[in-house]
Amino acid sequence: MQTDWKAWFDTHGSRLMLFARQQTRREADAEDVLQETLARLCEAGRNGPPDLPLVYTALRRTAIDHARRRERRRVREERVAADEPIAFFDEGVEARERAHLVEEALRRLPEPQQEVLILKIWGELTFAQIGETVGISPHTAASRYRYALQALKQQLSPSPL
Amino acid sequence: MTDEELNAFEEELRALRPGPPSARLRARLETLVDERAGDRPRPAAPADTLAWKQRLRRHGHWLAIAAGLALALAVYLWRPFEPLPEDTASANGAPGLAAPSSGEAALAVDAEPRFRAVKARNTLKHRIDEGLVTLDGGLSARRYRFQFVDTIVWEDPNDGSRFEVSTPREELVLVPVHTF
């Protein structure tokens, strides 16, 4: 891998993979979507790695295209049926339980809230960039983010006895 | 919920690290980027050269199969010469040279190996899905790497001794993927 791409992927690979996982829900699909996205961007951009917001936008579009390929998806699902369940986070033993709880709570959020939360917290995008990526206004992105954060916090708070 | 609580919760979430991409994906991307980088400095090839390369990529596996069949046919058609009968050998002996005794002649014929191919097999060892690739024409395809071991068994009909020759072989197959 070229040095600039390697360094770029070392820095951003995990967060891109997280978004791909959220968009596809399966590890094999997430890998395919990320690879296809980077292939297209690599083909188009001859001057090194692209800007991160552009990658998120392309990743989201590729995931939508990917989801439309029903037949291929069905075959792939059969192939990866034995794969381990997808895990959002990579944590040590001590934090694994907490990460698992966060992941479960995150999965229970409505999908539009999930993607905004992921793009903001782990994608480190601004609300304007999130708006461009998802196709909503920055204001909507901000309010959606706040709802998501509150809902997540509420789910993770211990219920009163 | 106060802003302070939300900020603290944000920080807690940020502390969670997303799982890294798998080594498999990294390898696929490295191949992809290296291929693209390899394409970059090359001068523009004539259109017919590109077309040939594309055809070769598309139909490379058929060429490999054809080459394998040709090899098998060549092995099948190749025959070692049958040993001459003892009488003929003696009759054709150079004049003035003493022919060996019949026992020695038989021993000499038996000692000479006459191996012929008696069995050939292709064993598929691995099928590796290398993911999606973009061809020169902008088409998407899924690339599979097949790893075979080709084995030919040779036998000496004189004494039934056998040996095997095994050769590893790889085939790349591109399956077009329709995107929309």
Side-chain angles (χ1 to χ4, degrees):
Chain A
M1 196 185 280
Q2 295 293 292
T3 314
D4 49 352
W5 274 93
K6 189 176 186 308
W8 182 86
F9 194 68
D10 285 342
T11 307
H12 303 300
S14 298
R15 64 183 62 161
L16 291 173
M17 197 60 204
L18 174 64
F19 189 59
R21 284 170 182 141
Q22 188 270 325
Q23 291 286 315
T24 59
R25 310 290 179 97
R26 284 187 185 279
E27 190 73 13
D29 287 350
E31 288 187 351
D32 278 356
V33 164
L34 183 53
Q35 181 183 347
E36 189 177 336
T37 303
L38 294 182
R40 284 181 180 170
L41 293 172
C42 185
E43 182 71 22
R46 297 275 176 179
N47 300 319
D51 292 336
L52 210 50
L54 174 66
V55 184
Y56 281 115
T57 306
L59 195 54
R60 191 168 182 273
R61 284 180 189 158
T62 308
I64 291 170
D65 288 346
H66 195 269
R68 288 178 180 151
R69 297 174 210 148
R70 300 286 181 196
E71 182 59 19
R72 288 187 59 244
R73 185 184 181 91
R74 186 183 63 76
V75 172
R76 191 164 44 250
E77 280 175 352
E78 287 175 1
R79 180 162 55 82
V80 301
D83 279 6
E84 290 181 4
I86 187 169
F88 273 8
F89 302 109
D90 174 36
E91 291 302 323
V93 176
E94 67 281 359
R96 198 170 293 158
E97 182 61 25
R98 181 66 175 168
H100 180 68
L101 290 174
V102 171
E103 184 178 330
E104 289 295 308
L106 197 51
R107 285 182 194 278
R108 282 195 291 271
L109 292 180
E111 224 169 283
Q113 290 187 11
Q114 279 185 38
E115 63 182 358
V116 168
L117 192 71
I118 285 175
L119 288 172
K120 178 67 180 159
I121 297 278
W122 294 282
E124 297 178 0
L125 297 190
T126 64
F127 288 125
Q129 289 170 331
I130 293 172
E132 282 177 23
T133 301
V134 181
I136 54 178
S137 73
H139 184 73
T140 306
S143 59
R144 199 175 280 181
Y145 171 73
R146 192 173 176 88
Y147 285 133
L149 209 56
Q150 285 174 339
L152 197 64
K153 174 81 175 157
Q154 198 167 3
Q155 285 192 49
L156 291 169
S157 301
S159 48
L161 295 173
Chain B
M1 193 177 297
T2 64
D3 284 347
E4 287 75 26
E5 284 175 331
L6 281 183
N7 288 341
F9 185 50
E10 275 182 313
E11 288 311 310
E12 183 192 343
L13 291 178
R14 275 198 190 95
L16 294 173
R17 296 163 310 202
S22 68
R24 177 180 55 180
L25 177 63
R26 174 171 281 277
R28 279 157 54 174
L29 289 175
E30 282 182 5
T31 307
L32 176 81
V33 173
D34 286 344
E35 280 175 0
R36 292 285 177 272
D39 288 346
R40 225 169 281 177
R42 273 202 317 236
D48 55 343
T49 310
L50 288 176
W52 267 107
K53 282 182 183 169
Q54 201 163 346
R55 270 180 227 156
L56 189 63
R57 284 186 190 178
R58 279 184 192 159
H59 305 298
H61 60 293
W62 290 115
L63 289 177
I65 290 170
L69 287 175
L71 178 67
L73 187 63
V75 166
Y76 178 74
L77 292 178
W78 183 79
R79 291 279 199 286
F81 292 111
E82 291 296 327
L84 291 172
E86 195 176 320
D87 290 346
T88 314
S90 302
N92 292 342
L97 290 179
S101 69
S102 60
E104 285 173 341
L107 186 63
V109 169
D110 287 347
E112 187 179 353
R114 301 286 186 188
F115 287 101
R116 62 171 60 177
V118 293
K119 194 185 286 183
R121 63 174 179 269
N122 309 117
T123 308
L124 177 62
K125 291 293 188 183
H126 298 104
R127 192 198 75 161
I128 303 166
D129 180 357
E130 297 189 331
L132 296 171
V133 294
T134 306
L135 305 178
D136 287 346
L139 296 172
S140 296
R142 182 170 287 278
R143 183 166 62 194
Y144 294 97
R145 186 179 296 273
F146 292 85
Q147 295 178 333
F148 295 91
V149 174
D150 297 340
T151 303
I152 297 177
V153 180
W154 299 82
E155 185 182 78
D156 182 352
N158 289 333
D159 58 5
S161 60
R162 287 183 165 208
F163 71 92
E164 288 186 3
V165 178
S166 295
T167 313
R169 178 168 58 85
E170 273 194 346
E171 283 184 18
L172 282 177
V173 176
L174 294 173
V175 179
V177 171
H178 298 288
T179 57
F180 53 90

